[in-house]
Amino acid sequence: MPRRTREHTGLSPREAERLRPCLDAFLASTDSRARIAFDPLEFPHRYRDPRDIEVSALLAAALAYGRADLFRPKVDALLQRMGSSPAAFVRALDVPRARELLQGFVYRFNVGTDVAVLLLGMGRALREHGSLEALFVRGLEARGSWHGALDAFTSALREVPMAPLREALGPERGLHHLLPSPLGPGAAKRLNLFLRWMVRGPDGVDLGVWKTVRPSALLIPLDTHIGRISKHLGLTRRNDLSWRTAEEVTASLRALDAEDPVRFDFALCHYGMSGVCPTQPVPENCSRCKLLPACSVGQKTARARSGTKGARGRR
């Protein structure tokens, strides 16, 4: 393997050619559609209108942290009460209706006021720009970078008068966690997840309702599962879950598919979530994994297991 410089800027062509067939085989063996039921992506899949899809998707992605069996009922209950058209609901939303919807709402770091800002911000975006897509594209054109575009997007959504909301629902608690502004150095996993849903596809997993942003511009939604597996596969040498690490992983994935670098994200993330590829490697799982030819940890685990068996056989 050629020696890399200190700054890892993605896979070399030779490394990409070695990894591509492994990832393609892995993706082909994954029943991604069956996994949608275990993913917050299930919520926007309920709708057909692009505006309903993007509103439900941003709400679901924003609250998709912690255990799925805890956040999914929260998102489901909100969407049920918002009626058949989430977009129509947020367009007409005002503070009294927000209070009616969100009084007493609590999910981990977030309270009703936090979610009200998100919903009111989406309603304002739809009224003034026609879509969340148009709001994001405006930021992309103005800032010229993906990070800048997301920062402009969340900042615009948070332009909601806070005094009436605080009076109606109490003070905000985890608003920055829900809608970070300024965006900061973190990977912004849930926001990039939302963008993947909107931009990629439609392919049975992602919805592809945004037509003015190309999939080639997407950044990997980096979480602990993607970070761990990416390091095993040589997509990054970094250990943190920062924006820089997400950029490094994405640069490596662009060497595999320049037009659609994050197409492996859903399958890889659920592979980690399922427990098949846990933090502590399971030798039996590694030996059957289609990623084994490219996985440094899997190969080390397999060699250790083989050595143990050989030692036992010599006794």
Side-chain angles (χ1 to χ4, degrees), residues 10 37 47 55 65 73 78 131 134 147 196 204 236 252 279 296 299 312:
Y47 305 96
V55 168
Y65 64 93
L78 289 176
S131 67
H147 190 277
R196 194 203 84 203
T236 182
S252 291
T279 303
S296 59
Q299 290 176 13
R312 288 174 180 172

Side-chain angles (χ1 to χ4, degrees), residues 32-95:
S32 295
R33 294 190 184 192
R35 296 295 305 177
I36 290 176
F38 303 94
D39 194 275
L41 187 55
E42 67 166 304
F43 296 109
H45 268 279
R46 295 177 179 179
Y47 305 96
R48 293 291 175 265
D49 184 273
R51 305 290 74 79
D52 292 328
I53 289 171
E54 62 179 8
V55 168
S56 62
L58 185 53
L59 175 62
L63 290 171
Y65 64 93
R67 285 169 43 185
D69 62 335
L70 297 180
F71 72 70
R72 285 170 59 201
K74 294 288 186 178
V75 176
D76 184 60
L78 289 176
L79 289 173
Q80 293 288 348
R81 294 182 63 189
M82 290 165 69
S84 61
S85 174
F89 182 88
V90 298
R91 279 193 197 99
L93 188 64
D94 56 16
V95 171

Side-chain angles (χ1 to χ4, degrees), residues 283 299-315:
Q299 290 176 13
K300 182 178 179 181
T301 302
R303 286 195 299 268
R305 184 188 188 200
S306 176
T308 301
K309 284 184 175 181
R312 288 174 180 172
R314 291 191 295 272
R315 290 176 184 175

Side-chain angles (χ1 to χ4, degrees), residues 88-108:
F89 182 88
V90 298
R91 279 193 197 99
L93 188 64
D94 56 16
V95 171
R97 291 178 184 175
R99 183 178 185 276
E100 183 181 345
L101 175 70
L102 293 162
Q103 179 120 42
F105 178 92
V106 177
Y107 175 62
R108 295 193 66 187

